[in-house]
Amino acid sequence: MESDPATAAIFPDSAQDMATPIFLVGMMGVGKTTIGRQLAAALGREFIDLDHAIEARCGVRVATIFDIEGEAGFRRRETALLDEYTRVPGLVLATGGGAVLAEENRRMLSDRGCVVYLRASVDELYRRVARDRNRPLLRTDDPRQRIADLLAQREPLYDSVADIRQDTVDQPITQIVRSLLALLPAHPLQ
């Protein structure tokens, strides 16, 4: 992999730094996939979206897995793939919003890489996902309240594993990625 000057400044000649995976956590709709793709491209790394990887393995959408196996079945699959992907050197991995619910998952994330918690307000998250019919946890009469409840439950868990915290509201994606690139050197990638 060839590194560009910006990447070289962030990870100066250290193969170990380049091998440390970066894990993105946060609520649905916060921008983990979009930001993750651009961050991986800027670093010359591979990007994986965990939910998309689960869908590829199962051959069906996450919503279908929820319908057939329930949330518990989906979470078992999520943990198995998280274990696999958190061991891949140099990866940028966008986790699902609920990946932090299991203590085992939080331990894997904390122990195996640099965790970036992407944040947004309830109103912003609702605005971004309100029309998305592929969100099984939002199949409710009041999706905005469901987002608020999920955020209240998950925010302390996201925060507990985070090495870096980044707001994603009112900034272009390119600016968020630049901010993350500037923050990464302050957090040892070991």
Side-chain angles (χ1 to χ4, degrees), residues 78-177:
E78 180 178 60
T79 295
L81 273 186
L82 187 65
D83 184 37
E84 179 181 328
Y85 282 115
T86 55
R87 296 175 188 274
V88 176
L91 187 67
V92 174
L93 178 70
T95 64
V100 296
L101 295 173
E103 183 178 338
E104 176 183 8
N105 294 357
R106 293 192 303 275
R107 191 170 34 256
M108 283 186 261
L109 292 166
S110 293
D111 292 350
R112 297 179 184 170
C114 178
V115 182
V116 176
Y117 170 25
L118 299 176
R119 303 182 293 202
S121 68
V122 170
D123 288 335
E124 181 64 18
L125 293 169
Y126 177 70
R127 186 188 68 73
R128 293 177 185 181
V129 301
R131 292 184 178 86
D132 188 342
R133 299 295 167 229
N134 293 314
R135 307 276 183 178
L137 293 177
L138 297 184
R139 293 180 189 159
T140 176
D141 291 337
D142 189 351
R144 188 195 176 286
Q145 185 58 51
R146 180 71 171 140
I147 291 168
D149 294 344
L150 289 170
L151 184 58
Q153 173 196 24
R154 295 173 180 180
E155 191 165 36
L157 302 176
Y158 296 138
D159 203 51
S160 75
V161 297
D163 296 302
I164 296 171
R165 291 149 189 88
Q166 174 68 48
D167 291 323
T168 65
V169 180
D170 297 330
Q171 295 180 69
I173 299 299
T174 54
Q175 179 57 46
I176 294 168
V177 170

Side-chain angles (χ1 to χ4, degrees), residues 45-61:
R45 293 178 171 213
E46 180 183 3
F47 172 75
I48 296 288
D49 178 292
L50 191 61
D51 283 349
H52 294 168
I54 293 168
E55 290 177 343
R57 290 269 175 101
C58 295
V60 296
R61 307 271 320 188

Side-chain angles (χ1 to χ4, degrees), residues 3-76:
S3 69
D4 64 38
T7 302
I10 294 166
F11 302 105
D13 299 324
S14 171
Q16 185 164 355
D17 284 348
M18 287 304 294
T20 302
I22 299 170
F23 310 130
L24 305 178
V25 301
M27 285 290 292
M28 66 180 101
V30 78
K32 296 181 299 287
T33 300
T34 303
I35 292 165
R37 276 193 186 108
Q38 290 195 23
L39 181 62
L43 293 170
R45 293 178 171 213
E46 180 183 3
F47 172 75
I48 296 288
D49 178 292
L50 191 61
D51 283 349
H52 294 168
I54 293 168
E55 290 177 343
R57 290 269 175 101
C58 295
V60 296
R61 307 271 320 188
V62 167
T64 304
I65 299 168
F66 265 75
D67 290 344
I68 294 169
E69 299 180 4
E71 185 172 358
F74 173 78
R75 297 292 173 209
R76 280 190 299 277

